[in-house]
Amino acid sequence: MDDRFPGFQSSRLVAEQQPGDNAAPESVSELAGRLKRMVEGEFGRVRLRGEISGYKRASSGHVYLCLKDDSALIDGVMWRGSAGSLPFTPQDGVEVIASGKLTTYPGRSRYQIVIDRMELAGEGALMALLEKLKGKLAGEGLFDPAKKRRLPFLPRTIGIVTSPTGAVIRDILHRLEDRCPTHVIVWPVKVQGEGSAAEIARAVQGFGALPVRPYPGGGRGPVTDQSEGASDVTQLDPGLRQGTAGDGENTIYRPDLLIVARGGGSIEDLWSFNEEIVVRAVAGSPIPVISAVGHETDTTLCDHAADLRAPTPTAAAEIAVPVRAELAHNIATLSLRTQRIVRRYHQRGTEQLAALVRVMPRRDALLGPQRQRLDDVAARLSLALERRVATARRNLDRHGHALRPAMLTQRLAQARAQFEGTARMLAQVDPDNLLQKGYVRVTARSSGKTVTSAAEARSAGALQLHFGDGVLEAKVERTPGRAYVEPTQPTLL
């Protein structure tokens, strides 16, 4: 102990037990455990109101976030089971009321709340969340009016996504029966509560995954004539997976139009149709979609993503199909108008033809000059033929003596004598005839041309000698001008 500072103990390198100190040192884990038990025992379950900040969903499905107000912040965690049952998708900046158990996280020396229930803090927070999600999806182009598709005028099959037990489906079917009975496929879903948004999105995607009905020659095919009074309704199995709607003759094909419907209610009741998963499914559907959610004053994000919004489910049925009686009346009216137009054109054509006939010249007036000209030409042709025959007869009489046999024989003998003389002359000048007399004709072996000089023989080198009875090969071996010296045999003597 330092005398200058009573009660102060100088630090030591190695810890030692001091006199009167009977408390053993705690580990960090032990202290963290005591704090954890103290916080959990003192506070237990709490209910907090705050704004979400730093929202993050891990790959495991757990959710991590912070709840804050103007002057404080607390960490929060929500396990996968509780996060999956949330009726909305949390986002940063949304004010909520969270219920859970207060605890600590020893790994980071922080206290936090384990949330098992989360609700929006009033309709104001709900509308704020709605506007934020609307802005996000609009920025991605999901509500672009240019992407809206035209609805089919007379759909062969209509798919309906709604509750199978509510008044909505009955109102739609009743209205379809009144206007134009057609084939209806109902995909039953929950329209509110936990898991409803996922069911609605799965139904919309399931309709889009159904096979397209094949038609001979392509196209949409003819519209079948339904019997008066009732539509043909098919209800799909709620557990049906995408792309497995029957096989063979029982195959369920993709509808031509889709209606997503629900009755009226509060904004909480209609919230499933504001969920991002539903909005994306409707916007990405390959089938034109009519959104009929709530009453005329109710608006959801599903309405903005659909190709057309109907104020009520009954109005959706009216938009989907025309009135069959009106169609029949229009067809009959058009048929009568077509018949009247055809008769009018026929009558007008008849009148115009009669008028043209009256002003046209008579046949004899048109053909009289041509007939006269034809007769004149025929008479001139007859006279010309007679003159031509007479001239030919005179020419034959004048030159006929040259065709007598004696004259022909004389001319033939003259031609034969001339031919024989020419043949004798050719035989006399034929160089090969001289070969029989001992002469030789020399040709170049390469070109076959006759060699007529020594210079040509030297340049040709190889020669052919043509005798009267055959040909011999020859070769130029020495140049002229040198005397031939007979080689002598040297002797040894």
Side-chain angles (χ1 to χ4, degrees):
M1 178 180 295
D2 195 337
D3 296 336
R4 293 174 298 174
F5 302 99
F8 174 78
Q9 297 180 354
S10 60
S11 60
R12 297 182 176 86
L13 181 62
V14 179
E16 297 179 357
Q17 187 74 22
Q18 296 299 320
D21 187 2
N22 57 359
E26 289 183 293
S27 66
V28 176
S29 298
E30 291 174 341
L31 178 60
R34 289 175 56 194
L35 290 173
K36 181 179 179 69
R37 290 190 294 273
M38 181 184 298
V39 171
E40 293 179 353
E42 179 68 23
F43 293 94
R45 288 186 58 82
V46 295
R47 194 162 183 258
L48 301 179
R49 178 173 184 148
E51 180 182 316
I52 296 178
S53 175
Y55 174 83
K56 180 178 66 175
R57 181 183 288 270
S59 59
S60 60
H62 307 318
V63 171
Y64 300 93
L65 51 83
C66 295
L67 295 177
K68 66 178 182 178
D69 56 16
D70 296 338
S71 58
L73 179 144
I74 184 173
D75 292 339
V77 61
M78 200 171 193
W79 306 128
R80 180 174 57 187
S82 300
S85 61
L86 282 176
F88 66 98
T89 302
Q91 294 187 12
D92 289 348
V94 177
E95 189 175 11
V96 297
I97 296 177
S99 301
K101 186 177 180 180
L102 197 64
T103 183
T104 64
Y105 180 48
R108 294 187 179 179
S109 298
R110 292 181 178 179
Y111 65 93
Q112 63 183 14
I113 178 174
V114 179
I115 304 171
D116 53 29
R117 183 179 178 183
M118 184 184 294
E119 302 167 323
L120 294 170
E123 289 192 5
L126 192 62
M127 296 305 298
L129 178 61
L130 179 63
E131 289 301 322
K132 190 168 184 178
L133 181 58
K134 181 179 179 181
K136 171 188 173 183
L137 299 178
E140 296 180 13
L142 269 64
F143 305 152
D144 188 0
K147 296 182 179 180
K148 306 300 182 184
R149 295 162 291 187
R150 177 180 295 182
L151 304 182
F153 173 70
L154 191 59
R156 178 187 180 98
T157 305
I158 298 177
I160 301 177
V161 178
T162 189
S163 172
T165 58
V168 170
I169 186 62
R170 293 194 298 270
D171 292 342
I172 293 177
L173 294 178
H174 178 71
R175 199 59 179 152
L176 290 176
E177 293 168 4
D178 290 343
R179 292 175 64 84
C180 184
T182 186
H183 182 206
V184 176
I185 303 177
V186 179
W187 195 304
V189 295
K190 293 192 300 184
V191 293
Q192 71 180 70
E194 181 180 347
S196 58
E199 287 191 18
I200 296 170
R202 187 163 53 248
V204 173
Q205 295 168 351
F207 270 126
L210 292 176
V212 179
R213 182 185 297 273
Y215 296 105
R220 205 176 62 87
V223 177
T224 56
D225 183 15
Q226 298 290 345
S227 60
E228 292 285 354
S231 297
D232 180 16
V233 181
T234 301
Q235 180 169 319
L236 298 181
D237 183 1
L240 184 69
R241 296 193 304 172
Q242 296 182 14
T244 60
D247 58 282
E249 297 180 356
N250 299 322
T251 300
I252 298 177
Y253 294 103
R254 181 186 297 177
D256 304 313
L257 181 65
L258 198 60
I259 298 177
V260 179
R262 188 205 187 282
S266 64
I267 186 172
E268 293 86 355
D269 296 335
L270 304 180
W271 188 256
S272 297
F273 297 89
N274 289 320
E275 288 289 348
E276 183 175 352
I277 185 174
V278 174
V279 178
R280 292 190 181 277
V282 171
S285 173
I287 310 170
V289 180
I290 298 177
S291 177
V293 179
H295 298 303
E296 187 171 359
T297 57
D298 299 323
T299 303
T300 64
L301 297 184
C302 180
D303 298 334
H304 296 283
D307 296 287
L308 186 67
R309 175 186 180 267
T312 62
T314 303
E318 296 176 354
I319 295 172
V321 295
V323 179
R324 181 175 181 176
E326 292 181 359
L327 286 179
H329 175 71
N330 292 338
I331 292 174
T333 301
L334 293 175
S335 177
L336 291 176
R337 291 178 59 186
T338 304
Q339 294 175 11
R340 284 198 298 267
I341 291 173
V342 170
R343 286 196 298 267
R344 187 180 304 149
Y345 272 100
H346 181 268
Q347 182 179 0
R348 185 176 300 174
T350 303
E351 294 173 355
Q352 292 177 351
L353 180 60
L356 291 174
V357 169
R358 285 195 298 270
V359 299
M360 285 180 62
R362 300 183 66 83
R363 182 182 60 179
D364 294 339
L366 289 174
L367 300 181
Q370 307 303 328
R371 289 175 177 173
Q372 185 176 0
R373 183 180 178 185
L374 178 62
D375 293 340
D376 184 36
V377 171
R380 291 169 58 190
L381 179 62
S382 178
L383 294 176
L385 288 176
E386 291 178 359
R387 287 196 296 270
R388 181 64 179 169
V389 170
T391 301
R393 186 176 288 111
R394 287 195 298 271
N395 292 335
L396 181 61
D397 294 340
R398 186 170 57 253
H399 301 288
H401 64 279
L403 300 177
R404 290 194 297 271
M407 294 295 297
L408 294 175
T409 303
Q410 182 181 359
R411 295 190 64 178
L412 182 60
Q414 293 176 354
R416 182 180 291 110
Q418 185 178 2
F419 174 75
E420 291 176 354
T422 303
R424 287 193 297 272
M425 291 178 63
L426 290 175
Q428 292 176 0
V429 298
D430 185 3
D432 289 338
N433 289 338
L434 299 176
L435 301 181
Q436 304 297 331
K437 300 178 180 181
Y439 294 95
V440 176
R441 185 164 61 89
V442 181
T443 61
R445 185 189 303 172
S446 59
S447 62
K449 293 182 179 180
T450 301
V451 178
T452 60
S453 65
E456 292 180 356
R458 284 194 300 271
S459 62
L463 305 175
Q464 288 183 334
L465 305 180
H466 297 263
F467 294 90
D469 58 349
V471 180
L472 296 177
E473 301 290 337
K475 184 177 180 180
V476 179
E477 295 184 348
R478 65 178 180 273
T479 58
R482 296 181 180 180
Y484 176 76
V485 178
E486 183 176 352
T488 57
Q489 177 70 31
T491 65
L492 300 176
L493 300 179

